Amino acid sequence: MFSLTVNSPKPLSLSTPFLPSHPHPLPTITHKPNLTPRPISALIIPPSGQRNQQYSTAAPQQQQLYQPFRPPPSPLPPKFRNLDINSKLEVLANRLGLWYEYAPLIPSLTNEGFTPSTLEEITGITGVEQNRLVVAAQVRDTLVELSLDEETLSFFESGGAELLYEIRLLSVKQRADAARFMVRNGFDMKQAQDLARAMKDFPRRRIDYGWDKFTGDSPGDCLAFWFFRLAQEHAAAAAEESRVEAMEKALEVVETESARNVLVEVLEGKGVDKDSVIDEQVKVPLVRMKLGEVAESTKVVVLPVCKAEKREFEVEAAPWECDGVGDFGIVEAEKDWRRWVVLPGWQPIAGLERGGVAVSFKSGKLLPWKEKRKYKEEPVLVVADRGRKEVVVDDGFYLVLSGGNGSGDEALMVERGLTLKEMGVEKSLGMVLLVVRPPRWEDEEQLIDED
């Protein structure tokens, strides 16, 4: 008898922690990770190879916390920040508040699409006044940040925007000094404008007579020097009454004793005359023109130009005199000439009436002093007075042939008076009053004394 025994297969058993031993069918397998609570912090995620180490062992100083964006503070005062457009327009139309508080509403409304003309129609504030208020408020903010004294700031509480607007181009320190000076002297808008121009212009006038006696850090001295220069121009024009008036204004505002002494001496006739001014200034006759300096000058000098390579022939043949004729001051010369130059009425040449000439040199290599190579390569204009040919001033400079003896084929050059005397030279082609370098586009501080 055949018997068959069949062994039924046992269900599959996996001894793992995830699949416990149990009969088929298997239940659904679910993985439950160990969820340990962790503190939540915003971190900059490091590269994957360092991620585990960053989360587990990073030191507190290595954690770079994310910095949320913070918008810049609003220029509007707190009481105006939540106003709608109509409310802002109402504040401007009725001048509700202090002027420097509602002034920032103007650019705020401009950003909303309002034009200056539209704002003028709605609020009655002209476009010019809108600009003045906005700029003056910004100037006042710089004074507040500088911790200007309360007495000066209080002066600008209820007005004075037109004064602050005029000093907008000054540095922060100059603004503070100018603000104190204006408040102390009760300046109006025109006086504030003159003060700002004088302070801005003062560093450019180093070659002018008496400049070293005035202090650039003093607003009063800067303004006094402004009037002093104006008086010299009136003197050159033979306007004695205007000259005295300008000198008296200078004495009213001057602050330092050294500057006051110069003004008193000149006003009383004890100052130096035109020739001695020129003699003193030729010791340092080198200046660089500033871009736009001619356009800004109240007085200019027109001179014939000669080429240095033409030697003495052009210098002697150039016109000796030219004058402004008629209501428009049309310049007429005594003879025709091809080349002319217009220079600002700087002090050394402001009183030059006859015999002035400008000689163009291709480089400054023939100038009798040491300077940097880059300056030696620049072209220069040498302004000379042909009416003063005698070599009499040791520290002066004279235009001569390069040989110094007035003969030969040499080109022109500039030489010191003492050197010429040692060579036995008694006459020159003219006394040098000024050496001018061309303006440089990349240099904003262009009118400087570089000798």
Side-chain angles (χ1 to χ4, degrees):
M1 178 176 175
F2 179 76
S3 66
L4 179 63
T5 302
V6 179
N7 295 326
S8 300
K10 294 182 179 180
L12 181 64
S13 177
L14 299 175
S15 58
T16 68
F18 300 103
L19 296 176
S21 179
H22 51 71
H24 184 78
L26 296 176
T28 304
I29 299 174
T30 305
H31 172 62
K32 296 182 179 180
N34 185 16
L35 301 176
T36 302
R38 293 175 181 270
I40 298 176
S41 61
L43 300 176
I44 297 177
I45 305 300
S48 59
Q50 303 175 1
R51 190 173 300 171
N52 293 334
Q53 182 181 0
Q54 173 73 20
Y55 279 97
S56 58
T57 62
Q61 63 269 20
Q62 293 177 340
Q63 296 183 2
Q64 302 178 11
L65 298 179
Y66 169 74
Q67 297 295 329
F69 171 74
R70 294 184 177 89
S74 172
L76 295 175
K79 63 181 179 180
F80 292 152
R81 289 177 186 173
N82 298 323
L83 297 181
D84 57 18
I85 292 179
N86 290 333
S87 299
K88 293 178 180 179
L89 292 172
E90 182 180 357
V91 170
L92 287 176
N94 296 288
R95 313 295 198 276
L96 301 178
L98 299 173
W99 68 269
Y100 58 85
E101 292 181 337
Y102 60 70
L105 293 176
I106 297 174
S108 175
L109 290 169
T110 301
N111 293 335
E112 297 289 344
F114 288 86
T115 63
S117 58
T118 304
L119 288 178
E120 181 177 355
E121 293 177 3
I122 299 174
T123 65
I125 304 177
T126 65
V128 174
E129 188 177 358
Q130 292 173 34
N131 181 61
R132 182 183 297 130
L133 288 172
V134 173
V135 174
Q138 295 171 351
V139 172
R140 184 187 178 277
D141 290 342
T142 62
L143 298 180
V144 173
E145 293 174 0
L146 197 63
S147 300
L148 191 64
D149 59 279
E150 291 296 330
E151 180 181 357
T152 303
L153 283 177
S154 62
F155 177 85
F156 300 104
E157 290 289 324
S158 58
E162 68 281 359
L163 302 182
L164 295 179
Y165 176 80
E166 296 299 338
I167 63 174
R168 65 194 182 279
L169 298 181
L170 302 179
S171 66
V172 175
K173 182 183 181 304
Q174 286 178 321
R175 290 176 183 177
D177 295 337
R180 296 189 191 97
F181 188 80
M182 290 189 299
V183 172
R184 187 165 62 247
N185 292 275
F187 273 20
D188 57 21
M189 185 174 68
K190 178 61 171 62
Q191 291 171 315
Q193 186 181 78
D194 290 342
L195 176 63
R197 289 180 176 177
M199 295 179 68
K200 196 73 175 177
D201 184 71
F202 183 80
R204 304 171 179 171
R205 301 296 176 181
R206 300 184 181 186
I207 66 169
D208 286 7
Y209 167 68
W211 181 88
D212 57 332
K213 304 298 183 182
F214 293 75
T215 303
D217 292 334
S218 166
D221 273 23
C222 292
L223 186 57
F225 188 73
W226 172 278
F227 287 124
F228 179 61
R229 287 184 56 250
L230 185 62
Q232 302 304 309
E233 294 180 4
H234 290 317
E240 181 62 20
E241 184 177 347
S242 299
R243 184 192 75 87
V244 173
E245 182 181 355
M247 291 295 295
E248 290 176 348
K249 289 181 178 179
L251 285 170
E252 291 176 1
V253 296
V254 69
E255 293 183 303
T256 62
E257 193 63 28
S258 60
R260 183 180 299 276
N261 291 338
V262 172
L263 296 175
V264 171
E265 289 178 0
V266 174
L267 185 61
E268 294 178 352
K270 299 177 182 179
V272 293
D273 59 17
K274 178 189 72 175
D275 289 343
S276 57
V277 168
I278 293 176
D279 284 348
E280 179 177 343
Q281 295 302 318
V282 295
K283 296 178 182 179
V284 190
L286 184 60
V287 296
R288 182 179 297 281
M289 284 190 66
K290 175 199 168 193
L291 291 172
E293 180 72 6
V294 174
E296 297 174 359
S297 300
T298 56
K299 182 178 181 180
V300 296
V301 177
V302 181
L303 297 171
V305 178
C306 305
K307 293 182 179 180
E309 56 267 28
K310 298 294 184 179
R311 300 178 24 237
E312 76 275 20
F313 305 114
E314 275 199 356
V315 174
E316 295 174 352
W320 272 67
E321 188 174 3
C322 62
D323 294 315
V325 179
D327 296 335
F328 295 99
I330 299 174
V331 178
E332 291 186 359
E334 61 186 10
K335 64 170 69 173
D336 293 336
W337 197 252
R338 292 183 59 187
R339 307 169 74 227
W340 297 85
V341 67
V342 181
L343 297 176
W346 293 319
Q347 183 64 38
I349 60 176
L352 187 58
E353 298 176 356
R354 295 187 75 256
V357 66
V359 181
S360 62
F361 287 80
K362 294 181 179 179
S363 69
K365 295 179 180 179
L366 296 178
L367 298 177
W369 49 72
K370 295 180 180 180
E371 54 187 353
K372 296 180 180 179
R373 179 179 299 177
K374 64 178 182 179
Y375 296 144
K376 286 285 189 181
E377 300 299 327
E378 287 185 319
V380 294
L381 276 180
V382 175
V383 180
D385 183 0
R386 289 172 293 174
R388 308 174 67 193
K389 296 183 177 182
E390 292 77 11
V391 180
V392 293
V393 182
D394 292 348
D395 293 332
F397 296 91
Y398 294 88
L399 184 67
V400 295
L401 295 175
S402 59
N405 56 9
S407 63
D409 298 328
E410 303 90 344
L412 301 182
M413 66 177 296
V414 176
E415 191 56 84
R416 294 182 183 272
L418 180 60
T419 303
L420 293 176
K421 286 183 177 181
E422 293 174 350
M423 297 169 58
V425 178
E426 298 180 354
K427 283 194 175 184
S428 66
L429 297 175
M431 187 174 191
V432 175
L433 306 182
L434 201 63
V435 178
V436 185
R437 283 203 178 104
R440 286 194 304 225
W441 289 93
E442 68 276 9
D443 189 359
E444 294 183 357
E445 297 295 329
Q446 289 155 336
L447 186 56
I448 56 176
D449 183 352
E450 294 177 343
D451 186 4

